Amino acid sequence: MSGGYMGKILWVNLDNSTIHEEVPDERLLRDFIGGYGLGARLLYERIPPGADPLGPENILGFTTGPLTGTLAATGTRWTVVGKSPLTGGWGDANGSGFFAAALKQAGYDAVFFTGIADRPVYLFLDDGRAELRDAGHLWGQDCYQVEDWVKAELGDDVEAACIGPAGEKLSLISGVVHHKGRVAARSGLGAVMGAKRLKMVTARGTRKVPMADPEAARALSKKYGKEITSGVGFADAYRTKGTPGYTPVGAVNGDSPTRNWGASVLAFPDVEPLEFEHLLEYRLERKSCWHCPISCWGTSQVEYQGRTVEAHQPEYESASAFGTMTLNNDYPSLIVANELCNRLGLDTISAGGCVAFAIECYEHGLISSEDTGGIELAWGDHESMNAMVEKIAHREDIGDLLAAGVERAAEKLGPESEPFAIHVGGQELPMHDPRFEPAMGVIYKMDATPGRHTQACQFLVPPGYESDRPGFGIDREQQEGRGRWIREACCLNHVSNVSGVCLFGYLSTHIPFVPEFLSAVTGQPFSVEDMVTVGERIANIRQAFNVRHGINAVTQPTPDRAYGRPALPDGPTAGITVQLEQMLGEYLEDMGWTQDAAVPKRDVLERLGLEDVARDLWD
Ligand code: SF4
């Protein structure tokens, strides 16, 4: 390939502080593109089955895609990969901002860390040079303090991705934070960084990402820039309000889980305070990631409990996780909850799920103020909610238990607490209710990183995607056949994700956006059909990783509440039960995975060029 890649993957051995470069194989890039595709292919063979996610055998990677740092709109994404300590299987998490472009401009497509350092360290990638440095003085600092130190001491042009106290203390719901609020949050990979004593990765550089056909890329940039500014797909929604615009919508249409998934929207006090106009009252600035024409996010400032809090505005997921989930409609407190998670290095979705779980346990007398260090938990009480976030990050009192996620907390608190622990495979579910979109129930269960909302659903397909498959449509009563379109939609999403563009760019342009840019940038012709094939290969390598690490996604339980067992008696999704078995059977058949354990079949693996994986799983 003649463009899109810097041609270098860095391997950092933390055991002995050695660093070496590898030139990525052409076939690896062609078959897996970048991001978590490249990561899963490399780590499938390098992380041994049974490896402790927090031990030296786990490998942690920071990856980019070929469209990252190019003229492709929204080419801002970086992905953290490794074995997840939260789920015990494949882990990946995706962040935006400026870090990915800096990583490539520094000269690298990806960097992987093996082993465990004997003291806190950070990696500095400086325009083609890589150096491991002492991070003793940063250990214990929160993500805001680290970011400020980087800008003051290393330079304003240096971008950083770091962990906070939560990652240092090995919280299984900790993430990796960049720019005080662009977070690769899911899969608990902040704890892997903490276990490796790797405080942060920093990058800066002046190198340009090569493009095979810059003229064509410029023309595409114009074409798709116009699509975004003329409101194709979700473009206007992202450009005018961003995901917070959806917060009051999801709260009433049945998409946002309410009271820890246990009630309908009728239990929520009043949605009006969550209207976007109220968020604007606290807005400091509208902001954008690196060269992104959408500019979907912003920063806020509020006075809260005598403190001036400046933070990235809470995205929909964060606002709902601390809003509808806990019956809280106080916007300033949502800004603060988001700030605390970003500052301390927690995944907002999981942290919100843990707080809601704790409130319900408290309500039912399974924990008391003795366990919480004196905090009296109650629905809608945002001060106790935010106090609990700090307890989780610092692993104090019951926060120590919750820092490992709701599944492990429920194991300790006993069977009575289990119905309140809403997760699949250990990962707390995001803020899209399967009773609202039943196919989400299959995706939450079957993605290699379970409980993920960014892998496809009826609403996550770009304009121009046509499907005549049964079940493609928004009638949630019609569930039969719905499992049949998931394969294709997920495969397309995988390629968009690993190419290095933002999901919001993918959803704000017509479907050829990604393949046309891949063709122009890499010089390798790429079609929508190729997207489906490559996406299928990526889905299979992630799934094969999980099979080798002992995970059976078919027998993995799903939480009754989220799947409508029993159905809600009222609200917009009243009476809906997710027909999981039906859709799951359809999905497994389409994927060519076994019905009893979701093992990719030999012929599927061989068709995708994964003969070595076929031998591992079937010989
Ligand atoms: S759409 Fe938003 S999150 Fe995505 S790259 Fe642009 S500014 Fe960043």
Side-chain angles (χ1 to χ4, degrees):
M1 295 203 198
S2 56
Y5 300 97
M6 308 312 287
K8 276 186 202 167
I9 293 178
L10 203 66
W11 287 86
V12 181
N13 183 334
L14 294 169
D15 284 334
N16 57 18
S17 303
T18 56
I19 298 176
H20 77 276
E21 290 172 2
E22 276 181 13
V23 176
D25 180 66
E26 284 267 322
R27 183 173 167 199
L28 169 73
L29 301 180
R30 195 188 62 225
D31 286 358
F32 294 92
I33 299 183
Y36 59 68
L38 177 143
R41 174 69 259 197
L42 288 175
L43 301 191
Y44 169 81
E45 55 205 60
R46 300 188 195 209
I47 300 177
D52 175 1
L54 300 181
E57 290 181 321
N58 198 5
I59 300 172
L60 184 76
F62 289 72
T63 62
T64 63
L67 301 186
T68 310
T70 68
L71 292 173
T74 75
T76 67
R77 288 279 162 171
W78 48 287
T79 307
V80 187
V81 297
K83 183 171 179 178
S84 165
L86 186 62
T87 68
W90 174 250
D92 55 52
N94 188 294
S96 60
F98 310 88
F99 178 70
L103 193 57
K104 285 184 81 171
Q105 287 159 351
Y108 305 98
D109 295 303
V111 51
F112 291 91
F113 296 88
T114 61
I116 290 182
D118 59 6
R119 66 195 188 290
V121 293
Y122 75 93
L123 180 72
F124 191 18
L125 302 172
D126 194 3
D127 217 8
R129 286 182 305 117
E131 190 187 343
L132 262 185
R133 293 182 173 180
D134 184 74
H137 59 298
L138 297 173
W139 204 252
Q141 305 268 303
D142 69 39
C143 300
Y144 276 38
Q145 292 168 317
V146 171
E147 183 81 26
D148 289 342
W149 181 85
V150 167
K151 297 295 181 189
E153 299 300 324
L154 300 182
D156 227 15
D157 52 350
V158 176
E159 301 298 343
C162 71
I163 54 169
E168 289 179 13
K169 291 177 193 226
L170 309 184
S171 164
L172 305 188
I173 58 167
S174 60
V176 184
V177 181
H178 158 60
H179 201 269
K180 300 184 179 177
R182 308 325 290 168
V183 189
R186 307 248 63 199
S187 303
L189 295 170
V192 179
M193 240 171 125
K196 292 189 176 302
R197 298 196 184 90
L198 176 65
K199 181 68 178 177
M200 71 173 167
V201 179
T202 55
R204 81 169 150 207
T206 56
R207 288 147 207 249
K208 281 204 159 46
V209 181
M211 290 187 288
D213 188 344
E215 273 312 303
R218 257 188 287 279
L220 289 172
S221 177
K222 242 179 161 172
K223 170 178 158 184
Y224 287 110
K226 214 164 160 191
E227 289 206 351
I228 288 170
T229 49
S230 60
V232 166
F234 288 89
D236 278 351
Y238 292 133
R239 283 176 58 241
T240 55
K241 296 181 178 176
T243 68
Y246 187 65
T247 303
V249 179
V252 295
N253 69 10
D255 194 18
S256 310
T258 304
R259 205 178 68 197
N260 196 27
W261 300 80
S264 80
V265 297
L266 303 186
F268 195 67
D270 178 12
V271 164
E272 200 282 330
L274 297 181
E275 291 294 340
F276 183 70
E277 289 60 40
H278 295 300
L279 180 59
L280 285 181
E281 291 164 23
Y282 308 104
R283 182 177 264 185
L284 280 179
E285 269 184 290
R286 181 175 166 189
K287 302 277 277 185
S288 173
C289 299
W290 187 84
H291 290 205
C292 175
I294 295 180
S295 267
C296 74
W297 52 280
T299 50
S300 313
Q301 181 175 306
V302 286
E303 299 298 319
Y304 188 79
Q305 292 181 309
R307 154 172 112 90
T308 303
V309 175
E310 250 188 67
H312 284 229
Q313 66 189 23
E315 301 290 342
Y316 161 72
E317 292 293 325
S318 314
S320 180
F322 290 103
T324 55
M325 279 281 280
T326 66
L327 304 188
N328 170 33
N329 63 0
D330 180 82
Y331 231 134
S333 74
L334 296 177
I335 293 169
V336 174
N338 192 45
E339 184 252 5
L340 287 171
C341 288
N342 293 344
R343 181 185 281 280
L344 301 170
L346 285 169
D347 172 1
T348 54
I349 294 173
S350 286
C354 285
V355 171
F357 167 82
I359 295 172
E360 197 156 5
C361 287
Y362 193 96
E363 180 185 45
H364 286 82
L366 303 177
I367 59 174
S368 69
S369 59
E370 272 178 36
D371 302 302
T372 61
I375 298 171
E376 294 182 7
L377 291 168
W379 298 112
D381 178 354
H382 53 81
E383 291 189 5
S384 65
M385 172 187 89
N386 281 332
M388 192 52 63
V389 172
E390 298 202 58
K391 293 260 176 205
I392 293 171
H394 295 296
R395 301 199 82 136
E396 291 166 359
D397 303 310
I398 192 81
D400 186 39
L401 214 56
L402 297 170
V406 295
E407 181 187 31
R408 289 169 178 83
E411 277 166 14
K412 292 263 166 57
L413 294 175
E416 279 179 78
S417 69
E418 274 169 15
F420 314 149
I422 309 301
H423 69 93
V424 177
Q427 181 142 256
E428 290 71 22
L429 295 191
M431 301 298 110
H432 299 283
D433 197 319
R435 291 165 291 194
F436 179 75
E437 158 49 311
M440 268 300 187
V442 180
I443 296 165
Y444 285 168
K445 181 173 169 64
M446 294 310 299
D447 190 75
T449 57
R452 294 291 291 279
H453 65 288
T454 49
Q455 310 299 58
C457 77
Q458 300 280 4
F459 313 103
L460 291 185
V461 284
Y465 172 80
E466 302 285 344
S467 179
D468 52 7
R469 315 213 80 184
F472 187 77
I474 55 169
D475 177 8
R476 68 180 64 95
E477 305 281 353
Q478 167 60 45
Q479 295 191 31
E480 191 179 340
R482 219 176 173 87
R484 297 240 173 251
W485 60 268
I486 298 174
R487 170 184 158 273
E488 197 169 281
C490 284
C491 291
L492 292 169
N493 261 49
H494 284 319
V495 172
S496 171
N497 290 342
V498 305
S499 295
V501 294
C502 178
L503 181 63
F504 301 163
Y506 172 65
L507 296 174
S508 300
T509 50
H510 282 90
I511 190 83
F513 166 64
V514 171
E516 285 184 1
F517 259 114
L518 281 174
S519 304
V521 169
T522 67
Q524 177 91 23
F526 207 86
S527 64
V528 175
E529 291 70 34
D530 292 331
M531 275 181 93
V532 176
T533 306
V534 173
E536 189 181 4
R537 191 176 291 118
I538 292 167
N540 275 276
I541 195 75
R542 290 162 97 237
Q543 180 63 11
F545 182 99
N546 277 1
V547 171
R548 285 234 294 171
H549 287 256
I551 289 177
N552 183 339
V554 175
T555 56
Q556 189 161 255
T558 51
D560 285 340
R561 282 183 180 181
Y563 286 70
R565 304 184 296 253
L568 286 170
D570 53 26
T573 58
I576 299 288
T577 296
V578 176
Q579 305 301 319
L580 186 59
E581 255 181 56
Q582 163 86 41
M583 288 187 288
L584 185 59
E586 295 163 355
Y587 172 77
L588 290 167
E589 192 183 319
D590 258 22
M591 290 302 294
W593 295 354
T594 61
Q595 292 280 337
D596 60 340
V599 181
K601 292 181 183 165
R602 181 185 280 276
D603 62 316
V604 173
L605 294 169
E606 288 176 349
R607 171 171 56 79
L608 295 168
L610 299 172
E611 290 83 359
D612 61 317
V613 179
R615 284 193 295 277
D616 289 342
L617 301 190
W618 290 101
D619 284 352

